[in-house]
Amino acid sequence: MKLLKPLDFAAAAIVAAMAVAAALPGLTHTDPATLAAAVTTDSGVITLPLDLDNSYEINSHGHTLVIHIDGGTLSVTEADCPDRLCMKAGKISRAGQTIICVPARVLIEIKGGEPIADIIAG
């Protein structure tokens, strides 16, 4: 049986501290005032701030989507496309998250703040 040395405990404590430090940014919520949703259609890009609760109707390629912003989160609450996958995507609130409606050719992406990949990378 191998005994642990004091340096082994120190190394384990450092690794644990690094893991906690890497997880902390993911536990906090980015200020919605620094985030916006870029809604891209064939007609161009519309920017919607996430700090103002509101609903927006987007018409594209014969389809209508209703985008709802509430408390810094964005979701598609109504859609007349056949599969309604954009509605099933749920709520998004972090930079880099997206919702796509292929039949309407609409891309919704959260911009600003700290990208989700940076949070995971620590």
Side-chain angles (χ1 to χ4, degrees), residues 54-73:
N54 208 342
S55 291
Y56 304 90
E57 188 173 287
I58 305 294
N59 296 300
S60 179
H61 283 273
H63 297 285
T64 302
L65 306 177
V66 175
I67 298 171
H68 184 70
I69 297 175
D70 182 31
T73 65

Side-chain angles (χ1 to χ4, degrees), residues 2-78:
K2 195 174 188 181
L3 295 175
L4 296 175
K5 298 177 183 175
L7 287 178
D8 294 333
F9 288 108
I14 290 171
V15 169
M18 289 173 55
V20 168
L24 284 178
L27 299 176
T28 61
H29 186 70
T30 304
D31 180 11
T34 64
L35 299 173
V39 181
T40 305
T41 67
D42 286 345
S43 302
V45 178
I46 304 164
T47 302
L48 307 174
L50 288 189
D51 61 339
L52 300 174
D53 296 351
N54 208 342
S55 291
Y56 304 90
E57 188 173 287
I58 305 294
N59 296 300
S60 179
H61 283 273
H63 297 285
T64 302
L65 306 177
V66 175
I67 298 171
H68 184 70
I69 297 175
D70 182 31
T73 65
L74 179 146
S75 60
V76 176
T77 56
E78 296 178 37

